[in-house]
């Protein structure tokens, strides 16, 4: 019996036929763990009170974004954020029932784990046991369940978008992408990868139409605020020049503060971001289609037809979207602790797409988790994070076809 049990466990961890069985066990187990965390670990107030106060100003009729603020600062998120937290305000006794909010966030977190497992499974060629890494992030549990950040809602929406696109449901996927963008501007980091996928699979006309749809949905959701003062809304919700405080950053801690805050540094990071995106676009994302220039030629000559030749597989969708996001994170001037939620569940996938030795793969996952749990960040932790992210990206570049 013992031998049979060992054999069954081995099959559960290694046989792709049992991937979804293990995924279900991981999701259920993480749901139980989340409830235990709520019960035994104290909640930490950071932005929840501010979200609630901002919603109360909205409920009182304020539509000028420049006049909506709270204890930790002004409202700097798109309109979807307001509507989500208006809903949470209504079902948590104006935000006073923190425990109810935590249970809702626990459900949201479990949903993120389920979506991640589904993305992994749809992409294929992922070892079953990699799913066991998903519940191990101390920081990620904290961000969802103990600190109630709004980032979590955009993360789950963009996960749902990726899963829909993996299943050839591009209309639904772009709709969900727009929903995610309406909560956090950071979702724009996925846009380069998304546009490549849409052009290859559906053609230039379709992609332009969907891009306009995304913009239209943002406008529709924000209409009450745009109607009041569109400049105030755009400057707050989509402020590309925003400078975060140096003392809170997790990345680039090795850079002196005066350099970190300078416009020259910001421009350098932007150039680096665009350059690496171009490198992936030129050398990797269209390689199987004959190269990016061939794809662009097809897109311009036959704008209503798919510009790609190679199939846009579920693996390609996940790898391209995750890579696009990672590139943006590496070149972000400042990453705060809640930003870990943007890619924590993507890291194991990307690392296991590389050809690195198993020991190095596990080490990279451990180093990234370690760096995000050092508070406040140090030169060592920040350098380790940057190094691990860059090594991961380089490994993906070396194998992406």
């Amino acid at each position: 019996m013992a031998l049979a049990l060992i054999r069954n466990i081995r099959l559960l961890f290694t046989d792709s036929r049992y991937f979804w069985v293990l995924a279900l066990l991981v999701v259920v187990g993480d749901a139980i763990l989340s409830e235990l965390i709520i019960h035994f670990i104290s909640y930490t107030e950071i932005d929840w009170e501010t979200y609630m106060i901002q919603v109360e100003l909205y409920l009182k009729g304020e539509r000028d974004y420049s006049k909506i603020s709270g204890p930790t600062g002004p409202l700097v998120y798109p309109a979807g954020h307001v509507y989500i937290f208006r809903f949470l305000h209504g079902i948590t006794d104006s935000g006073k029932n923190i425990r109810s909010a935590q249970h809702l966030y626990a459900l949201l977190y479990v949903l993120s784990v389920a979506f991640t497992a589904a993305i992994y499974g749809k992409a294929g060629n992922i070892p079953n046991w990699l799913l066991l890494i998903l519940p191990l992030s101390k920081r990620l549990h904290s961000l969802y369940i103990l600190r109630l950040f709004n980032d979590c809602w955009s993360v789950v929406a963009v996960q749902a978008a990726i899963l829909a696109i993996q299943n050839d449901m591009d209309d639904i996927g772009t709709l969900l992408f727009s929903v995610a963008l309406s909560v956090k501007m950071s979702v724009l980091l996925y846009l380069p990868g998304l546009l490549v996928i849409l052009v290859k699979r559906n053609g230039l006309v379709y992609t332009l139409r969907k891009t306009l749809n995304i913009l239209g949905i943002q406008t529709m959701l924000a209409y009450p605020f745009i109607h009041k003062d569109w400049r105030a809304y755009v400057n707050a919700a989509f402020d590309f020049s925003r400078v975060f405080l140096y003392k809170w950053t997790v990345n680039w801690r090795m850079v002196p503060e005066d350099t970190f805050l300078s416009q020259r540094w910001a421009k350098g990071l932007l150039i680096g971001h665009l350059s690496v995106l171009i490198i992936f676009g030129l050398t990797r994302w269209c390689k199987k289609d004959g190269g990016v220039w061939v794809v662009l030629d097809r897109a311009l000559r036959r704008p209503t037809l798919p510009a790609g030749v190679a199939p846009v597989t579920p693996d390609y969708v996940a790898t391209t979207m995750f890579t696009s996001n990672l590139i943006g994170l590496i070149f972000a001037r400042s990453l705060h602790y809640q930003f870990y939620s943007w890619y924590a569940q993507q890291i194991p996938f990307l690392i296991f797409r590389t050809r690195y030795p198993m020991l190095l793969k596990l080490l990279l996952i451990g180093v990234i988790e370690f760096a995000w749990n050092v508070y406040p960040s140090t030169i060592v932790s920040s350098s380790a994070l940057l190094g691990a992210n860059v090594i991961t990206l380089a490994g993906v570049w070396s194998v992406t076809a």
Side-chain angles (χ1 to χ4, degrees), residues 53 98 120 182 317 320 338 378 394:
I53 290 173
I98 299 295
Y120 283 23
S182 78
V317 170
T320 302
Q338 63 267 35
T378 65

Side-chain angles (χ1 to χ4, degrees), residues 30-42:
D30 214 352
I32 295 170
L33 176 59
S34 299
E35 289 299 317
L36 291 174
I37 290 172
I38 292 173
H39 185 75
F40 289 105
I41 302 178
S42 299

Side-chain angles (χ1 to χ4, degrees), residues 197-322:
I197 291 166
L198 294 181
V199 169
K200 286 181 58 174
R201 182 186 279 171
N202 303 287
L204 188 59
V205 171
Y206 178 92
T207 303
L208 290 174
R209 188 169 72 246
K210 287 303 167 184
T211 302
L212 291 174
N213 286 348
I214 291 170
L215 180 61
I217 291 171
Q218 302 308 308
T219 304
M220 179 186 67
L221 291 173
Y223 178 76
F225 308 106
I226 292 173
H227 181 70
K228 180 67 177 180
D229 188 339
W230 70 267
R231 289 185 181 86
Y233 177 78
V234 172
N235 289 338
F238 294 95
D239 182 6
F240 291 95
S241 63
R242 188 180 308 150
V243 179
F244 294 100
L245 294 176
Y246 179 73
K247 68 177 182 179
W248 297 119
T249 191
V250 179
N251 64 330
W252 301 116
R253 178 68 69 181
M254 72 293 295
V255 176
E257 184 172 2
D258 57 343
T259 300
F260 179 90
L261 297 174
S262 70
Q263 281 300 306
R264 180 178 296 180
W265 179 248
K267 291 177 181 177
L269 290 174
L270 177 59
I271 292 171
H273 184 187
L274 294 176
S275 298
V276 175
L277 283 174
I278 290 170
I279 289 171
F280 268 85
L282 291 175
T283 67
R284 288 298 180 263
W285 288 341
C286 299
K287 187 175 180 180
K288 285 187 176 180
D289 303 283
V292 64
W293 304 116
V294 175
V295 172
L296 288 175
D297 179 63
R298 289 195 197 102
L300 293 172
R301 286 191 297 104
R302 304 183 304 170
T304 61
L305 298 176
V309 174
V312 178
T313 64
D315 177 42
Y316 179 88
V317 170
T319 303
T320 302
M321 294 285 279
F322 290 174

Side-chain angles (χ1 to χ4, degrees), residues 103-162:
H103 288 305
L104 284 169
Y105 265 82
L107 179 61
L108 186 68
Y109 168 73
V110 171
L111 188 59
S112 79
V113 176
F115 280 157
T116 301
I119 291 169
Y120 283 23
K122 188 68 179 178
N125 197 28
I126 287 289
N128 296 11
W129 61 264
L130 192 63
L131 295 173
L132 299 175
I133 293 177
L134 296 179
L136 300 182
S137 176
K138 175 185 175 182
R139 177 61 67 185
L140 196 59
H141 282 97
S142 174
L143 296 176
Y144 276 83
I145 302 167
L146 301 179
R147 288 165 173 81
L148 312 181
F149 283 113
N150 68 336
D151 304 74
C152 306
W153 297 90
S154 65
V155 168
V156 171
V158 85
Q159 288 174 334
I162 292 170

